Amino acid sequence: MKRNLVLSFLAIAAAALVLNAQAGSGGGITSSAPQNVRPPRFLRLYVFDCGTLHNSDAGRYRFKKEELATTEMSVACFLIAHPKGTLVWDTGAVPDNAWTPTGIPMTQHIVLPDSQQRDITVVKSLKGQLSELGYSPSDITYLVLSHYHYDHTANANEFAGAAWLVRQVEREAMFAKQPPGTTQPSTYSALRNSKTIILGTDEHDVFGDGTVVIKSAPGHTPGHQVLYLKLAKTGGVVLSGDLYHYPEERRLDRVPTFDFNEEQTRASRVMIEAFLKKTGAQLWIQHDFIGNAKLKKAPNFYE
Ligand SMILES: [Zn+2]
């Protein structure tokens, strides 16, 4: 009798878990009332499709075209949902307000302030992908950019209401009289007045439980950083920022021609590789077109 009671209790508990899981993924259907999105019980990582960058110049990365499996680059944005808050990591290459999604891939031509030009194909807006999960930009607790290049900041202004976690050197460069080439200052200008938390340590544990940790990895830009996530089922994942772009950089030890400080990039790579070895975490190279294609995209998630 007692055993039966325990069993039926377990059955109810299991049913509750199933319901909870359905509410979790099904929650993606609601597009309004984002305050109704309940914080998840466990850390979640959502991968958004922020486009495909057509890189026509492998030489900038010190490659010959034939050394690369593909010159195409994925542009990834991420939402981290923690029981205590949310964090957006990188915001894409094309501002949502520059185009209207139709469901058909659209190629946007971007001219940077230093006259360099890029073509990026996008299908979904970042805001649209957030909204599919029931979130709006005003629900986001923290904004973190791996670095200031235009293909990571496009929608930063949307998150000006979040607390911005940034290194002093990076922020200073972004708001310098003459910001670095390949930045698009108009896309992040609103961050000037954001609540800003300057990161002064090599590691910053965002929620205080070791599951979401920003790690300094300078070189590509002065305050470049990567994000370590400790997921209950998936295990450790490091989001690369632009520590690498092509996976071949990792094998063949190539550093882009346009890094702020190549020696720093090499030192950061050595440090992160040691961290990956120590923790057993996977490295997700954000611009790795082939690797990114294999990732589950929102509304699915990693936990
Ligand atoms: Zn990039």
Side-chain angles (χ1 to χ4, degrees), residues 164-187:
W164 181 31
L165 303 177
V166 62
R167 288 173 194 280
Q168 184 70 28
V169 280
E170 193 81 354
R171 190 183 184 282
E172 275 170 13
M174 290 167 81
F175 292 113
K177 253 196 187 128
Q178 185 85 56
T182 63
T183 57
Q184 193 73 292
S186 61
T187 62

Side-chain angles (χ1 to χ4, degrees), residues 147 151-152 242 245 287:
H147 64 296
D151 56 314
H152 299 258
D242 282 4
H245 303 73
H287 286 309

Side-chain angles (χ1 to χ4, degrees), residues 53 61 73 146-147 149-152 220 241-242 245 287:
L53 174 53
Y61 299 88
M73 290 181 171
S146 61
H147 64 296
H149 286 154
Y150 80 98
D151 56 314
H152 299 258
H220 189 56
D242 282 4
H245 303 73
H287 286 309

Side-chain angles (χ1 to χ4, degrees), residues 209-242:
D209 61 1
T211 62
V212 182
V213 179
I214 303 169
K215 290 177 69 66
S216 172
H220 189 56
T221 63
H224 178 273
Q225 43 199 8
V226 303
L227 188 66
Y228 170 63
L229 302 163
K230 196 173 172 185
L231 294 152
K233 286 188 189 157
T234 310
V237 172
V238 171
L239 305 181
S240 66
D242 282 4

Side-chain angles (χ1 to χ4, degrees), residues 269-289:
R269 286 179 175 184
V270 168
M271 182 265 294
I272 295 298
E273 292 293 347
F275 178 79
L276 293 168
K277 215 169 161 188
K278 187 183 83 184
T279 57
Q282 310 171 43
L283 178 69
W284 289 4
I285 299 176
Q286 294 178 211
H287 286 309
D288 174 5
F289 185 77

Side-chain angles (χ1 to χ4, degrees), residues 90-163:
D90 285 344
T91 63
V94 181
D96 286 353
N97 58 17
W99 66 293
T100 306
T102 61
I104 298 164
M106 293 166 86
T107 299
Q108 306 294 313
H109 186 71
I110 288 196
V111 181
L112 297 168
D114 66 357
S115 310
Q116 291 192 56
Q117 305 188 20
R118 298 283 188 279
D119 285 317
I120 298 123
T121 301
V122 279
V123 183
K124 291 178 164 185
S125 66
L126 176 54
K127 251 207 275 192
Q129 293 178 82
L130 272 172
S131 137
E132 265 184 64
L133 302 174
Y135 293 98
S136 78
S138 60
D139 297 313
I140 303 306
T141 322
Y142 298 108
L143 169 68
V144 197
L145 304 169
S146 61
H147 64 296
Y148 55 51
H149 286 154
Y150 80 98
D151 56 314
H152 299 258
T153 65
N155 291 290
N157 283 342
E158 295 285 349
F159 303 97

